[in-house]
Amino acid sequence: MQKNGLIVNSLILTIFFFYSCQNRKNERIIDVNKEKENVEVLADEFYKYVNSKNYEEVLKLFSTKFFEEISEENFLNLLEKSSKKLGAFNRKELVDYKRYSQKQESHVFTFYQLEYKTFYKNGEASEKINFIKVDNQKILLIAYYINSDVFLD
């Protein structure tokens, strides 16, 4: 009788263990999906501010690290010239999304990359927007790439 009770208790513990692991896995999936949604909202804000030429708000989305590579003035000049060449923004389609994390010393860095196919009045472009989150701080934009045949004219 004790042997059967022990088997039943072991079975219950095993089921509970697998159920707990599955719940944690589901929580991580929900967290990752929520992070993706948050990053997409930030990308939407970026496009909204760029298209309305609200550059002050655009700059607030960026990490200060971004402006160690390019001055604010040069970046805003790039946005302005791109806007003139491409014409009015019509829409964007998410082509690819990547997320990865890296632990360095006592910090966890999470990187996000969204790749869009964008449609403008004068043509199409391929755009990548990279974000970073350090530990549990605010997600900030750290890189922006735009490529279009329209720039060749």
Side-chain angles (χ1 to χ4, degrees):
M1 191 70 165
Q2 277 185 332
K3 190 174 183 180
N4 286 344
L6 187 59
I7 291 172
V8 169
N9 284 339
S10 294
L11 185 59
I12 290 171
L13 286 174
T14 302
I15 291 170
F16 178 74
F17 173 76
F18 285 117
Y19 178 76
S20 296
C21 289
Q22 186 63 37
N23 274 350
R24 277 188 240 127
K25 181 180 175 187
N26 288 342
E27 286 173 11
R28 281 192 297 264
I29 290 170
I30 290 168
D31 288 346
V32 169
N33 288 339
K34 186 65 177 166
E35 280 184 334
K36 181 180 181 228
E37 288 174 19
N38 291 341
V39 172
E40 286 182 291
V41 165
L42 289 171
D44 289 343
E45 286 181 16
F46 172 77
Y47 282 102
K48 179 179 84 174
Y49 295 142
V50 167
N51 295 318
S52 65
K53 298 188 187 323
N54 188 346
Y55 296 133
E56 189 174 307
E57 291 301 317
V58 169
L59 296 176
K60 290 178 185 177
L61 297 173
F62 282 85
S63 165
T64 55
K65 295 277 185 204
F66 180 81
F67 296 108
E68 290 175 7
E69 302 298 321
I70 184 173
S71 71
E72 286 183 16
E73 182 181 340
N74 285 345
F75 178 66
L76 294 177
N77 190 25
L78 169 92
L79 291 178
E80 193 64 42
K81 286 182 177 181
S82 296
S83 177
K84 284 179 184 172
K85 276 283 211 184
L86 291 166
F89 174 81
N90 291 325
R91 63 186 172 89
K92 64 183 175 23
E93 294 175 2
L94 185 63
V95 174
D96 194 22
Y97 170 77
K98 294 178 182 145
R99 175 195 181 277
Y100 62 95
S101 293
Q102 175 181 334
K103 187 168 183 158
Q104 211 173 52
E105 296 176 13
S106 62
H107 298 289
V108 175
F109 298 87
T110 306
F111 300 92
Y112 311 89
Q113 182 180 72
L114 297 115
E115 183 177 346
Y116 289 102
K117 181 174 184 179
T118 48
F119 301 87
Y120 293 86
K121 180 181 177 184
N122 299 331
E124 298 177 5
S126 173
E127 300 182 47
K128 289 182 184 177
I129 304 175
N130 295 351
F131 294 91
I132 187 173
K133 179 172 74 170
V134 180
D135 299 323
N136 287 318
Q137 296 176 13
K138 185 177 176 181
I139 298 172
L140 295 170
L141 215 152
I142 57 162
Y144 172 68
Y145 307 92
I146 183 167
N147 188 21
S148 176
D149 290 343
V150 173
F151 297 140
L152 300 175
D153 295 333

